[in-house]
Amino acid sequence: MAATSSPYGLRPINRIDGMPYAGATSQFLIDPAGEGTNLFYGQVVIIGADGYIALSTATGSDITTNNLGGSGVGAIGVFVGASYINAQGQQIFGQYYPSGTTGVVTAKVITDPSVAFQAQLSGSGAQTVLGTNTFFAAAQSTSTGSTTTGNSTSALESTVQTTAAAFRIVGFASTPGDAFTDVFVKFNPSAHSFLNNVGL
């Protein structure tokens, strides 16, 4: 029962066709000069205009001006860790990317648009939210995560809509009507770069 607000971004669960999610990720570079924001496990990321991975700062409340990758552009997926060399010359495999880390930094991203994710709503979601669309309750930022756990702290909007938005609610991870309902979601086609025909 989700009685308290403790959001955690997007956690991969399985595929929407019922097959298990096997943990596959794609690797992308983060700007070697240093990205200006933290990237936390479970955050949605984009390919920036410079060709490097960056944080999506749109809510995804629509698929035009507020689409996850920018106006009309989809996200590339969900960030699940990074590897880099720290100041002591040690290879780090981190749950999150610390803002400003320079050098060769590789991001691990779940890019498969058929993966279903678990997320917490910003409030209660009744049985009737199944099949509706949702989006981030607040825009992701460098502070929407924990540097202790490395995890995102973003919630999805509990005031759902039938008009186009970033995510479709496809199931429940907690009892419908809980104070802060946990749900399963998938990317809607236009919100994901692999399914959206608009280039960068």
Side-chain angles (χ1 to χ4, degrees), residues 75-89:
I76 192 64
V78 175
F79 178 86
V80 290
S83 63
Y84 56 91
I85 304 295
N86 68 8
Q88 290 72 44

Side-chain angles (χ1 to χ4, degrees), residues 51-106:
Y52 295 112
I53 285 293
L55 181 65
S56 169
T57 56
T59 62
S61 60
D62 59 60
I63 56 171
T64 53
T65 56
N66 288 309
N67 204 350
L68 296 172
S71 184
V73 181
I76 192 64
V78 175
F79 178 86
V80 290
S83 63
Y84 56 91
I85 304 295
N86 68 8
Q88 290 72 44
Q90 301 165 316
Q91 178 76 53
I92 301 297
F93 296 93
Q95 185 87 341
Y96 84 106
Y97 164 81
S99 170
T101 301
T102 59
V104 179
V105 184
T106 302

Side-chain angles (χ1 to χ4, degrees), residues 6-191:
S6 53
Y8 41 81
L10 302 179
R11 292 178 181 169
I13 300 298
N14 56 16
R15 289 167 49 95
I16 57 173
D17 60 6
M19 295 292 290
Y21 167 63
T25 58
S26 299
Q27 296 188 349
F28 297 90
L29 292 177
I30 296 174
D31 187 349
E35 179 63 27
T37 58
N38 295 317
L39 297 176
F40 294 103
Y41 184 103
Q43 286 188 323
V44 171
V45 290
I46 63 173
I47 297 177
D50 57 4
Y52 295 112
I53 285 293
L55 181 65
S56 169
T57 56
T59 62
S61 60
D62 59 60
I63 56 171
T64 53
T65 56
N66 288 309
N67 204 350
L68 296 172
S71 184
V73 181
I76 192 64
V78 175
F79 178 86
V80 290
S83 63
Y84 56 91
I85 304 295
N86 68 8
Q88 290 72 44
Q90 301 165 316
Q91 178 76 53
I92 301 297
F93 296 93
Q95 185 87 341
Y96 84 106
Y97 164 81
S99 170
T101 301
T102 59
V104 179
V105 184
T106 302
K108 294 194 300 179
V109 180
I110 299 172
T111 57
D112 185 352
S114 67
V115 172
F117 298 89
Q118 182 176 321
Q120 188 173 74
L121 298 180
S122 59
S124 181
Q127 181 68 35
T128 51
V129 305
L130 185 65
T132 61
N133 295 325
T134 185
F135 51 93
F136 285 113
Q140 299 179 123
S141 73
T142 191
S143 59
T144 54
S146 167
T147 56
T148 301
T149 66
N151 295 329
S152 168
T153 54
S154 288
L156 298 184
E157 180 57 59
S158 59
T159 303
V160 296
Q161 59 193 48
T162 57
T163 54
F167 308 106
R168 174 70 53 82
I169 297 175
V170 296
F172 294 96
S174 69
T175 304
D178 280 354
F180 298 93
T181 311
D182 294 293
V183 294
F184 299 128
V185 299
K186 63 172 285 291
F187 280 94
N188 274 324
S190 293

